Amino acid sequence: MLGLKKLIERFKGTQVHALNPPDSNGVNTTGSSSTPGNCRVKFKGSKQKSSKACSGSGAETLIPFGFPRTDHLEPSIEPHLKPIQLVETLADLFRRSEACLESEKSLIYIEQYSILSSLGDPKLLRRCLRAARQHALDVHSKVVLSAWLRYERREDELEGVSPMDCSSRFILECPKATLVSGYDPNSIYDNCKCYQECAKSTDSHISKVKTLEEDSDVSFCVGNEEIDCIRFKIAALSRPLKAMLYGSFKESKSRKIDFSHTGTSVEGMRAVDLYSRTRRVDLFPPEVVLELLSFANRLCCEEMKSDCDIHLASLVSCIEDALIFIEYGLEERANFLVASCLQVLLRQIPSSLYNPKVMKMFCSFEAKERLASAGHASFILYYFLSQVSMEVNTVSNVTVMLLERLRECAAQKWQKALALHQLGCVLLERQEYASAQCCFEAAAEASHVYSLVGNARCRFKQGQRYSAYKLMSSVISEYKAVGWMYQERSLYNVGKDKIDDLNTATELDPTLVFPYKYRAVLKAEEKETTAAILEIDRIIGFKLEPDCLELRSWFLIAIEDYGSALRDVRALFTLDPNYRMFDEHISGENLIEFLNLKVQQGSQADCWMQLYDRWSCLDDIGSLAVIHQMLVNDPGKSLLRFRQFLLLLRLNCQKAAMRCLRLAHNLSSSEHKKLVYEGWILYDTGHREEAIARADESISIQRSFEAFFLKAYILADTSLGPESSYVIQLLEEAIRCPSDGLRKGQALNNLGSIYVDCGKLDDATNCYMNALEIKHTRAHQGLARIHFLRNQRKAAYDEMSKLIEKACSNASVYEKRSEYCDGLMAKNDLNMATRLDPLRTYPYRYRAAVLMDEQKDNEAIKEVSKAIAFKPDLQMLHLRAAFYESIGDLKSAVCDCEAALCLEPNHIDTLDLYNKARGT
């Protein structure tokens, strides 16, 4: 009891500000390399100079808003579903997807998308969306999911691509195919009909003349005009018309019928007559078809309504058309027309979000109800819209309204939890703490435990620090320990306990950014700036985030290392060109301009030399910085954008990489280069055959290094077999084409690898040696492999040691060297690899396998489980399942297999193990 009182007193005595001071605003930093909501740390600079390290004139000029302070640091709350037991949740999703009705599968894949979003793997998320689109039955779901897939590919950023273009030959991604209801499992991989020329000739004039030859036997009077019609054909349009013309009504015996008060115009009635004879609506202008639609609705002419609906839908091609036609579609309950208009609006996201008329169609409760009346308001629709709006502007009124509509559309428990949690995150960012707390509490009641983090944060912001601490402590005591629990509690803890919580958070989940940032700033406050830089280096080494680069540049400026600071700033703005630094007070251009005054600038030729040097040292951040400088001198160079793409891919910054690739495509002035860049885009999105076709088309225009390399790379990325000789030929052709040494080094390295696979070790050695001559340092790894295959293990180890001398901070080289040594040396190399990059799974798998060989089953499972806790990938889950199966824990083995199959349903080894564990 006494300890509790002391703890309460500590909180009372050390609380700084529960609410932010009114003159300082938090900054929410985000990078293109991560998905929305990944842990982005907010911080505010202190108004006081917190360190004498800042006393230099340059530092004072560059940090006028003060140094970051620990009491102003806090992590963002991720706006995703984060189950406490992720593996069990994924296993449950797999079981439900296997057992459910076909009509339920699409929504299960959307649930899977919502859960996997926190992992931040774009390809995994795209697979979920494709599966949801594949199993969608209704037109509405197909329209939304097709637009969502287009947005995920960011096709809006590609020049020369229309929103309604079919970007793929697959029917799944064709905008026209989305307007066809139903599901045909045999046609989902069929080629799209957009690529088949359909020449259907019709002669409307002849048809029209033929119809007029038929005798009329009834006239409809509209004003002073009489429209001659054929009674039985008009009667055939609907039951009400048949009853009027052949029933007990007086019109059945009339030769002339007055239609002046029916709301039908002369042109409209003539169109009705012509339609009754031809059953065609393509003979009329749109305004007449709209009148026919209205006529069909009033008089229950279902076939006419359907024909008008389909024809009008085919006319919608732009936002202006969509905004006009959707009003008619909603009024006349023309669901097909509404779907077509909706598709045009959604396929122009995100630009259409800036159109107030478009947002008026979605945001209000009344707008949602109107869409619902036509069958076009759904959870999927508002999930998509709210996700995009959160990326564009998290705190906007539009985002709040869309999330409110999402909450109204939520029916299942997970949907309610997601909508409430995301709304809570947005309201928290808007500093509406009481409302945000209500949302988080409701989400927690819907079994989303992670929302308790939001609840605690809202309490803290409202001055209830101890209450927030108690809440997070209860979460830690009640549930299995997860890194984010300790990270959140550290905000409300003090002194050594705070650091202990942060260290525990890093131990449980080394991918959390906030603990590194806090420890780094704390060291800087203690005037240990070098130690601060080393601390932030730990996370930058394997997870490149803009806010971490910003913090390191802050430290570097403080010690007046302007060259290194400029490197980090250039790399940062490669990741996110719109980022604003130092509490959003300084733009990238201004900061780079100032730092350029402090650092000697070289020519473009000097930059190329620097790039070779950085590339050969495996310094990817330094290489990004050099290319950024080169682009300032030559902004229209598509080749440099392509270099950025390659580097960012290696750094696992997928979104930033694809943005650079799209820029390379847009900047390219030659068709053959555009085709190569399109090929890489298609390959990234899983369209392998189409990517190869683009490479072939590029080669047919002009033989180039990049076209041959692209084709070889795609073919080599599968099990080669008989294709090996062809890939070798392609790479040899690439090397013969003009290119710089950096790319040729890569081609030689790839060629050497294929020679090794084919057993041609001498040819492989020549390739690697030639690559080393042009500073492709990674060729040391290939030579080490050759030494190993020749039973020269010591030489292989020494070869890898040469690579480590040039790239001592690269985890992969330590991991590879461990293969060429035994015992303690291998263990040390693997431990070093894990310290440098805890996301690499091989060290965990190796250590676990050694423990299993030593019959230390529990220790082996524990080792694998450490990695699965923050990176539940296919290989790790499969390995743990195998371990469980080997010790007879079949229930756990089945669970891990199901979770793995949720990530990759067609993984043969896991399927075999799954069937074995189930005894089938």
Side-chain angles (χ1 to χ4, degrees), residues 466-532:
Y466 183 57
S467 175
Y469 173 84
K470 285 199 301 181
L471 177 59
M472 290 314 302
S473 294
S474 69
V475 172
I476 289 171
S477 64
E478 186 175 347
Y479 298 99
K480 181 182 177 182
V482 184
W484 53 258
M485 297 176 181
Y486 288 90
Q487 173 180 270
E488 189 64 24
R489 191 175 72 172
S490 73
L491 290 177
Y492 320 125
N493 221 325
V494 292
K496 182 179 179 299
D497 292 338
K498 188 183 195 80
I499 299 301
D500 288 344
D501 274 352
L502 289 169
N503 291 341
T504 303
T506 299
E507 182 182 345
L508 291 171
D509 186 353
T511 67
L512 294 173
V513 175
F514 172 74
Y516 299 94
K517 293 193 70 171
Y518 186 93
R519 290 188 293 259
V521 173
L522 181 62
K523 292 180 190 303
E525 288 180 341
E526 295 169 350
K527 302 179 183 178
E528 299 177 10
T529 310
T530 303

Side-chain angles (χ1 to χ4, degrees), residues 728-761:
I728 289 171
Q729 181 184 340
L730 289 170
L731 286 171
E732 289 173 343
E733 289 289 347
I735 292 167
R736 281 193 284 269
C737 293
S739 184
D740 59 76
L742 296 176
R743 294 298 285 146
K744 287 199 174 181
Q746 182 67 61
L748 285 165
N749 196 63
N750 290 8
L751 182 56
S753 179
I754 295 169
Y755 276 136
V756 171
D757 291 339
C758 296
K760 300 178 180 180
L761 300 187

